[in-house]
Amino acid sequence: MPQEYCIRLGWFDSANAARAAYQSLGSPGTAYEIREEERELSPLHWVIVPPQPEGRALALFRDLQRRGIDSYLIRRGENRNAISLGLFESKQAAEAVLEEKKRQNLNAILANFPRNQISYALVFEDELVPDSGSVEAAESDYASNFDLVEIKPCEGVATAPENP
């Protein structure tokens, strides 16, 4: 006997991309919604000269620029008057740059740089037959196209349908 399942797929860069995906799936179900969600991504590794008095920070920054060292003076926020020497996904790359900067007599440190991303998820209801393999088949099919796949029995959805 068919049962309503709530399906959540992601991630999309825009609401329009999520809407297009719903339509490309043949518009399953009778209602869908697009949810904007903030996702926490793994932090970057930041090589930075810690904050210091403004005059010293500006003098060091100008010296680094004259020497051709890629750098950025941070002007506001909790790291005001710090000097960024690079953001890296790889900790190994960040550590290599840190060692190079220390050999250049720079008082650099390695810090984590947290980051988030706004993404969109597509949520809709569809009828599937439990214990028939249809739920597993849907999960497998969606997993080949989406990073996020959640399929679970609906617990009563109070959402307004969107029209494509």
Side-chain angles (χ1 to χ4, degrees):
M1 175 170 193
Q3 180 180 342
E4 285 292 318
Y5 278 81
C6 290
I7 300 171
R8 183 169 165 243
L9 305 174
W11 296 105
F12 302 95
D13 293 331
S14 69
N16 285 338
R19 199 169 285 111
Y22 181 74
Q23 292 168 351
S24 76
L25 294 171
S27 301
T30 56
Y32 75 102
E33 120 181 46
I34 297 166
R35 295 185 185 157
E36 182 179 287
E37 299 182 22
E38 187 171 343
R39 296 189 302 141
E40 186 174 316
L41 302 177
S42 58
L44 295 174
H45 305 283
W46 194 11
V47 179
I48 185 172
V49 174
Q52 51 195 310
E54 189 171 347
R56 258 180 43 211
L58 193 52
L60 177 58
F61 174 68
R62 286 183 178 142
D63 179 55
L64 293 173
Q65 295 290 298
R66 270 194 302 277
R67 292 165 47 191
I69 297 175
D70 193 22
S71 54
Y72 176 79
L73 180 63
I74 300 166
R75 297 278 189 181
R76 56 186 108 138
E78 69 182 67
N79 288 303
R80 184 169 186 245
N81 293 325
I83 299 172
S84 175
L85 300 171
L87 287 167
F88 303 88
E89 286 190 22
S90 158
K91 186 172 185 175
Q92 190 175 12
E95 287 171 343
V97 169
L98 178 64
E99 290 307 312
E100 174 191 333
K101 299 311 176 194
K102 286 187 175 192
R103 284 192 300 275
Q104 295 171 340
N105 291 322
L106 290 174
N107 181 30
I109 61 169
L110 189 58
N112 279 336
F113 185 83
R115 60 189 179 137
N116 295 326
Q117 176 180 340
I118 298 295
S119 297
Y120 297 85
L122 171 63
V123 180
F124 60 93
E125 297 174 22
D126 199 1
E127 280 193 355
L128 299 172
V129 179
D131 302 323
S132 70
S134 64
V135 174
E136 293 79 9
E139 283 176 342
S140 175
D141 186 39
Y142 290 139
S144 64
N145 295 307
F146 302 100
D147 296 327
L148 168 73
V149 177
E150 291 180 359
I151 301 178
K152 58 186 178 184
C154 294
E155 297 172 2
V157 177
T159 59
E162 268 194 46
N163 294 322

